[in-house]
Amino acid sequence: MSVPLSILDLVSIPEGSTARDGIAASMDAARTADRLGYRRLWFAEHHNTANLAASATSLLIAQAASVTERIRVGSGGVMFPNHAPLMVAEQYGTLANMYGDRIDLGLGRAPGTDMMTARALSRSSSEPQAFAENIYDLQGWFGADGTARSAPIVSAVSAGTEVPIWVLGSTVNGASIAGQLGLPFALASHFAPDQLDEAVQVYRDTFSDSAPTAQITEPYLMAGINVMVAPTDADAEREFTTLEQMFLDLHSGRRRKLQPPVDPEQIAAQGGRDHAMLRIKAVGAPQTVVRELAEFVERTGADELITVTYAYDPAVRQRSLELLADHWF
């Protein structure tokens, strides 16, 4: 297929494992993705979660970049309200100086956590105008002279790095911001499918290559999709119950680490099969998944797909990455 595949990693922590184990498994997956030809590997940012170790995103990026050679590595994303923009420029400028032109900076306006934790993290505004102004300053810090565009503040470590900036979003509002800023858009359709088609259209309709922040000349859409590939459809459906249990826990307020797979009928009995938030998925044997991914590309016109794969056993995730690569690339 001509559409590139990328990976979003939330660094999950299975039951019986530690955050250290989750990070080690994530780095193993990074090596595999690099070898197989995936385009980019992004790390999410979440806080106050028992089952995810993706919190200090820039540190995960640095480690993943150090154990890979070709794959682009970045944030999916930096939740901008939790960070001072200058610190983001300095961190990602440092990464670009260390690892060259392999670093991406995806920015989101959500806090990536509950409101109590968000207040403890808060460093900048999530309002659209402030978000845009902060991006404008970031581009200045990544620019030739490393100077913010709103004030004479210099970041020598990020000057000249020209780190690519993406806007992350899950709604038409995020799509509109990305379009008006003339930036590539990463759509979080893997957990927020309700406005998928509208967001895609709004992004394309509002795209402006003449905006002061524009970095591309035409829209570029990367859409998220949940993926599990196994030797058979039945095997994949069973492995996918790990993610279905995670979403059942999320809605019930139950705080557990990633659970081992169960019989899909057990999930059905709890009302967890075909969960509304997990409608965007490709689950099955390789031929099934390739067909479903191709249908998703046709529906969205996506320029790139970013896949999300949860597995209780890290070896199952590795196998999924390999089976998909064998049948897609």
Side-chain angles (χ1 to χ4, degrees), residues 244-264:
E244 290 173 326
Q245 291 178 81
M246 178 178 165
F247 271 73
L248 284 171
D249 287 350
L250 179 66
H251 284 276
S252 68
R254 189 176 187 181
R255 293 173 64 88
R256 297 190 296 175
K257 294 181 179 179
L258 220 60
Q259 296 298 301
V262 296
D263 188 322

Side-chain angles (χ1 to χ4, degrees), residues 52-272:
L52 303 175
S55 299
T57 314
S58 61
L59 297 181
L60 293 169
I61 292 169
Q63 183 63 16
S66 74
V67 299
T68 57
E69 297 178 357
R70 295 171 296 278
I71 195 169
R72 299 191 65 85
V73 190
S75 60
V78 167
M79 298 296 99
F80 222 1
N82 304 338
H83 303 272
L86 177 57
M87 289 296 292
V88 174
E90 292 173 338
Q91 289 171 358
Y92 283 78
T94 299
L95 287 168
N97 275 297
M98 292 168 67
Y99 301 108
D101 183 26
R102 288 203 291 140
I103 304 301
D104 294 326
L105 174 56
L107 298 172
R109 293 192 303 130
T113 188
D114 59 273
M115 293 313 298
M116 177 184 69
T117 309
R119 286 192 293 272
L121 290 165
S122 180
R123 292 295 179 271
S124 62
S125 173
S126 63
E127 291 302 313
Q129 186 59 40
F131 184 72
E133 290 170 355
N134 287 335
I135 287 177
Y136 199 45
D137 272 343
L138 274 176
Q139 290 178 336
W141 283 316
F142 292 139
D145 62 3
T147 304
R149 289 171 170 171
S150 67
I153 300 172
V154 176
S155 170
V157 74
S158 60
T161 57
E162 303 291 351
V163 174
I165 295 175
W166 291 65
V167 172
L168 279 59
S170 59
T171 66
V172 294
N173 291 334
S176 177
I177 290 170
Q180 291 178 58
L181 295 178
L183 295 175
F185 182 45
L187 179 58
S189 40
H190 59 289
F191 72 85
D194 289 346
Q195 297 186 31
L196 166 61
D197 299 306
E198 295 89 341
V200 170
Q201 192 60 51
V202 165
Y203 173 56
R204 295 201 171 102
D205 288 346
T206 59
F207 184 83
S208 171
D209 63 359
S210 61
T213 49
Q215 291 186 339
I216 51 178
T217 58
E218 57 186 27
Y220 191 94
L221 172 70
M222 179 165 64
I225 184 167
N226 298 291
V227 171
M228 172 56 71
V229 193
T232 69
D233 287 350
D235 289 341
E237 291 288 351
R238 180 178 176 84
E239 295 295 345
F240 195 68
T241 63
T242 290
L243 179 55
E244 290 173 326
Q245 291 178 81
M246 178 178 165
F247 271 73
L248 284 171
D249 287 350
L250 179 66
H251 284 276
S252 68
R254 189 176 187 181
R255 293 173 64 88
R256 297 190 296 175
K257 294 181 179 179
L258 220 60
Q259 296 298 301
V262 296
D263 188 322
E265 292 304 315
Q266 289 183 236
I267 303 299
Q270 301 175 61

Side-chain angles (χ1 to χ4, degrees), residues 9 21-35 67-68 314 317-318 321:
D9 191 349
D21 297 328
I23 292 170
S26 178
M27 295 306 125
D28 286 341
R31 295 183 185 94
T32 298
D34 189 44
R35 171 175 57 83
V67 299
T68 57
R317 185 181 184 220
Q318 294 272 30
L321 294 175

